[in-house]
Amino acid sequence: MSSSAASISPDLDRLAIDTIRTLSMDAVEAAKSGHPGTPMALAPVAYTIWKDFLRYDPADPHWPNRDRFVLSCGHASMLLYSLLHLAGVRQAAPGCTGHAEPAVSLDDIRQFRQLGSRCAGHPEQHLTVGVETTTGPLGQGCGNSVGMAIASRWLAASYNGPDATLFDFDTYVLCSDGDLMEGVACEAASLAGHLKLSNLCWIYDDNAITIEGETDLAFSEDVGRRFAGLGWRVELVADANDTAAVGKALSGFKDEAERPTLIIVKSVIGFGAPTKAGSHAAHGAPLGPEEVGGAKEAYGWPAGDAFAVPAGVPERFAATLGQRGAAARAAWQEAYAAAKLAAPEAIAELDCLLAGGLPAGWEAAIPSFPADAKGLASRVSSGQVLQALSGSIPWFLGGSADLAPSTMTLIPGAGDFGPEQPAGRNFHFGIREHAMAAAANGMALSGLRPYAATFFVFFDYLKPALRLSALGELGVIYILTHDSIGLGEDGPTHQPIEQLASARAVPGLSVFRPADANEVAEAYRVALQRPNRPAVMVLSRQNLPTLDRTTVGAAEGVARGGYILRDVDGGTPDCILIGTGSEVPICLDAAESLAASGIAARVVSLPSWDLFAEQDAAYREAVLPAAVTARVACEAACGFGWERWIGEQGRFIGMDSFGGSAPAKQLFTHFGITADAVAAAARELVGQ
Ligand SMILES: Cc1ncc(C[n+]2csc(CCOP(=O)(O)OP(=O)(O)O)c2C)c(N)n1
Ligand SMILES: [Mg+2]
């Protein structure tokens, strides 16, 4: 430390807590933006968790059985960055220790919120080692934590041996008023209570303030009673600065075997800021030099010494968290080595899981479907593929938001996950789409390969978590069925229109709308091979013919996003018909009728725009030659974005309104999504 040690409190714990506070203030000050108040107020709480409870080895931040610490109120990111820095968390790759480089350096903290710094405005898991999950959208971290707690249980039931506890990690969450106002956190808490996840502890920062002012503007419920009703154990801590009381509440969590724990901690935002104005400024804005000076004075801190880390503070972390974590990890490694001797196959499987791989030969299970004019719904072929793959990939598991019979996601004989069957692989998320997706993210972050299913129209109910699957590079597979007006009688409330466009607009997300059973199989093959990329399977309720692949292009074309399904006999096509999913057969019929009148139409199946866009220009030109501007696209959804593939002159046959309640066939006719309409548009374009 560059400042005079004499002026600093001799109490190391107090010193460590104040270092978290001052680093947070200084970083926000330098960035001229951010929230210093919450890190300041929660420093004693977080410090107590890290010092006395968290089983975490800073030398091996990927250690599989580490306790997880989730900062759901991601706006308090400097709290987490300060902890990662002071705890000396290393920039280690999974399975590697002994790296000298810190995961978060003091320079990163100085560069808080600047380009290239590992200290982004809100914590980003894929960017910063030690950040367990990406947070900022309030409530998401709470949702993720339920998936982590689920994963701890599932991994324990699946891989712990009689004498080897490989998994028993706990998940701690710091959350704020905003987190607990959000619906997703309540859904998640309800699920956690139901599942009796006693390995989950949320610490609620009850500071009675949000951005607009005091919480009584909008939040007057009794949170404790709500959580008690959800099946949680609830504890109160009257003062965030009372580390003994915080520790006692956390010990209570450790002793609880039935229920998740909520610890409600009263705090004062910007604690230590000298004025009321300071406490308001602390809420989402830098304090300003005067307030910072005043706060530092209140802590007995030397003024004017930004980013000071007093001697003894990192050592304090090392002597507590570090030693405890290193010992726990060493013991784990012994257990792991013993387990490997006792059950080499199981541990080889676990190694593969932890490496984000897939078991050797997993693909052999993928079925191939014979040509069949009647065919089957893509949700049905998806169910068959899923069952086959769940046999070959033990940790490929998931469930639905109460729609397993419709989304075809129930795996017979795989057991229902719950306290009685923690190795069960069918998950009943209940009618909680948002929490389902947020939990799936937490499961993915813990090494599992989860899928989550509902109707496609409820994409919007889970979208915020899906967006974070993409940002966080998590290979969650979303199985979304009943994909268009083709679902029929349930009507416009259930018929997706704009959801495809919305899904396609998400960066880093693969969207598949397969045309038949073999495209479904290929879509799963491609999606599973990309562990860092979420995928959406957009599947039909109604039957789709299984195409005869001896007469049309091979379904392996799905891997390239789009491919020629039916081509013309030599030469350049007069026009190109592009379809996805249930509209591909319509394009094929239209091409037949065009051929009869001497128009050579190529049919392109385009199940995945994003994969097609990834292909090199030569491939894309081979499929969609620039010279052929007579293009018709057909999709039973809104046309938003299709100009990308059909160009200025192209025509789109699809939906430009909500759907209707009627049998599917009638709806396709009513909305003009027919082979005749496609053929007519093509004729117009080629001037016939
Ligand atoms: C879903 C979502 N909505 C809105 C915001 C913007 N926002 C950031 S912090 C915050 C509220 C802050 O109050 P609280 O959650 O109590 O946290 P505190 O400031 O007390 O730490 C809001 C609305 C957000 N981050 N996420
Ligand atoms: Mg608050």
Side-chain angles (χ1 to χ4, degrees):
M1 180 186 189
S2 49
S3 57
S4 60
S7 61
I8 284 170
S9 155
D11 176 342
L12 270 180
D13 289 332
R14 180 63 205 267
L15 195 64
I17 290 166
D18 288 344
T19 308
I20 296 170
R21 290 173 163 150
T22 51
L23 282 179
S24 301
M25 285 191 289
D26 289 340
V28 170
E29 214 54 32
K32 300 189 183 68
S33 73
H35 294 245
T38 305
M40 290 160 74
L42 290 185
V45 178
Y47 178 68
T48 304
I49 298 171
W50 282 58
K51 178 174 71 85
D52 293 331
F53 290 89
L54 207 65
R55 279 175 309 171
Y56 184 94
D57 184 356
D60 186 6
H62 301 283
W63 172 41
N65 197 35
R66 69 192 181 280
D67 286 345
R68 270 56 169 185
F69 177 82
V70 171
L71 183 72
S72 194
C73 45
H75 58 271
S77 55
M78 265 316 302
L79 175 62
L80 181 54
Y81 299 142
S82 302
L83 288 164
L84 293 173
H85 177 69
L86 296 174
V89 175
R90 298 289 109 185
Q91 179 70 15
C96 305
T97 52
H99 284 249
E101 194 194 333
V104 171
S105 69
L106 210 50
D107 273 344
D108 288 317
I109 290 178
R110 285 181 207 277
Q111 294 295 308
F112 177 49
R113 296 181 154 237
Q114 307 308 307
L115 210 55
S117 169
R118 290 193 187 122
C119 298
H122 295 83
E124 293 180 49
Q125 159 270 136
H126 65 291
L127 198 75
T128 310
V129 170
V131 171
E132 298 286 6
T133 183
T134 300
T135 54
L138 290 163
Q140 293 294 337
C142 291
N144 300 155
S145 72
V146 173
M148 293 171 178
I150 285 173
S152 179
R153 289 279 193 256
W154 190 87
L155 289 164
S158 302
Y159 298 107
N160 284 358
D163 308 309
T165 299
L166 298 185
F167 293 98
D168 63 353
F169 66 82
D170 293 324
T171 300
Y172 296 89
V173 179
L174 278 189
C175 56
S176 64
D177 297 305
D179 282 301
L180 292 198
M181 286 190 214
E182 289 292 352
V184 63
C186 193
E187 289 179 21
S190 169
L191 181 60
H194 171 77
L195 293 173
K196 301 194 189 324
L197 296 173
S198 60
N199 56 353
L200 181 62
C201 181
W202 292 4
I203 297 100
Y204 163 38
D205 175 29
D206 183 7
N207 65 4
I209 193 165
T210 64
I211 287 178
E212 290 185 1
E214 316 223 322
T215 44
D216 60 14
L217 280 171
F219 195 50
S220 43
E221 72 199 34
D222 184 332
V223 171
R225 283 176 65 189
R226 164 155 68 102
F227 274 73
L230 294 172
W232 288 54
R233 176 179 160 273
V234 178
E235 286 234 20
L236 281 171
V237 172
D239 178 4
N241 293 298
D242 184 349
T243 50
V246 171
K248 194 161 159 279
L250 288 165
S251 297
F253 157 65
K254 293 295 290 180
D255 293 339
E256 169 67 42
E258 284 285 315
R259 296 165 294 172
T261 291
L262 178 75
I263 302 176
I264 302 176
V265 180
K266 297 262 181 212
S267 84
V268 178
I269 198 165
F271 171 80
T275 65
K276 180 105 174 130
S279 88
H280 280 291
H283 201 263
L287 294 172
E290 227 167 273
E291 296 284 344
V292 169
K296 285 187 178 173
E297 204 183 308
Y299 303 150
W301 212 256
D305 191 5
F307 301 103
V309 175
V313 170
E315 291 77 5
R316 181 73 178 145
F317 275 90
T320 54
L321 171 88
Q323 278 194 13
R324 189 176 61 247
R329 184 174 63 88
W332 183 88
Q333 262 164 345
E334 271 176 37
Y336 172 88
K340 201 166 181 159
L341 285 178
E345 276 178 27
I347 298 306
E349 185 183 299
L350 175 61
D351 288 344
C352 179
L353 176 163
L354 292 173
L358 295 165
W362 68 277
E363 281 180 277
I366 298 177
S368 109
F369 296 84
D372 177 6
K374 180 167 168 283
L376 63 176
S378 50
R379 65 179 168 133
V380 173
S381 49
S382 162
Q384 294 179 12
V385 173
L386 208 59
Q387 280 189 34
L389 285 170
S390 75
S392 71
I393 312 170
W395 57 93
F396 182 42
L397 42 73
S400 89
D402 197 46
L403 286 171
S406 305
T407 56
M408 308 286 168
T409 41
L410 200 80
I411 308 300
D416 294 335
F417 177 86
E420 280 81 40
Q421 281 191 81
R425 297 169 62 209
N426 287 307
F427 287 76
H428 300 280
F429 291 105
I431 306 141
R432 307 180 181 101
E433 293 83 3
H434 199 175
M436 168 173 72
N441 284 339
M443 290 161 75
L445 285 164
S446 313
L448 308 184
R449 204 67 205 276
Y451 50 83
T454 182
F455 290 156
F456 188 33
V457 81
F458 304 131
F459 171 84
D460 301 311
Y461 271 54
L462 55 72
K463 167 79 191 306
L466 174 145
R467 181 173 194 271
L468 291 176
S469 309
L471 175 59
E473 302 176 358
L474 307 175
V476 177
I477 296 187
Y478 293 90
I479 299 172
L480 304 175
T481 68
H482 297 59
D483 68 346
S484 76
I485 53 166
L487 65 85
E489 293 84 345
D490 271 343
T493 57
H494 281 52
Q495 292 162 353
I497 299 292
E498 74 284 15
Q499 283 67 23
L500 262 171
S502 174
R504 286 170 178 152
V506 179
L509 176 71
S510 281
V511 180
F512 296 93
R513 187 165 185 255
D516 77 345
N518 288 305
E519 282 200 4
V520 168
E522 292 312 306
Y524 276 98
R525 189 196 308 276
V526 177
L528 278 163
Q529 281 168 342
R530 303 182 75 163
N532 299 321
R533 191 175 171 95
V536 169
M537 303 291 175
V538 180
L539 305 169
S540 73
R541 172 186 183 235
Q542 75 276 26
N543 279 358
L544 306 177
T546 306
L547 301 175
D548 179 355
R549 296 287 167 172
T550 62
T551 62
V552 299
E556 283 78 40
V558 171
R560 311 199 76 165
Y563 63 103
I564 300 170
L565 200 55
R566 175 197 197 277
D567 211 358
V568 300
D569 296 329
T572 314
D574 299 322
C575 63
I576 303 176
L577 313 180
I578 313 171
T580 78
S582 50
E583 287 68 66
V584 166
I586 291 176
C587 292
L588 286 169
D589 286 350
E592 288 293 324
S593 105
L594 289 168
S597 41
I599 299 171
R602 167 183 289 180
V603 176
V604 168
S605 179
L606 193 59
S608 174
W609 290 17
D610 53 287
L611 288 191
F612 188 64
E614 272 181 18
Q615 305 305 310
D616 57 45
Y619 179 76
R620 279 183 281 117
E621 169 66 18
V623 177
L624 299 177
V628 184
T629 56
R631 301 180 185 186
V632 182
C634 184
E635 184 168 75
C638 76
F640 192 91
W642 267 102
E643 54 282 353
R644 181 175 182 190
W645 310 116
I646 60 178
E648 284 297 306
Q649 280 133 61
R651 290 278 306 275
F652 176 73
I653 305 289
M655 297 294 294
D656 53 15
S657 68
F658 290 112
S661 176
K665 278 211 175 91
Q666 281 178 33
L667 289 174
F668 277 93
T669 310
H670 176 74
F671 288 108
I673 303 175
T674 62
D676 285 349
V678 172
R683 283 197 180 92
E684 252 178 64
L685 287 175
V686 301
Q688 264 200 21

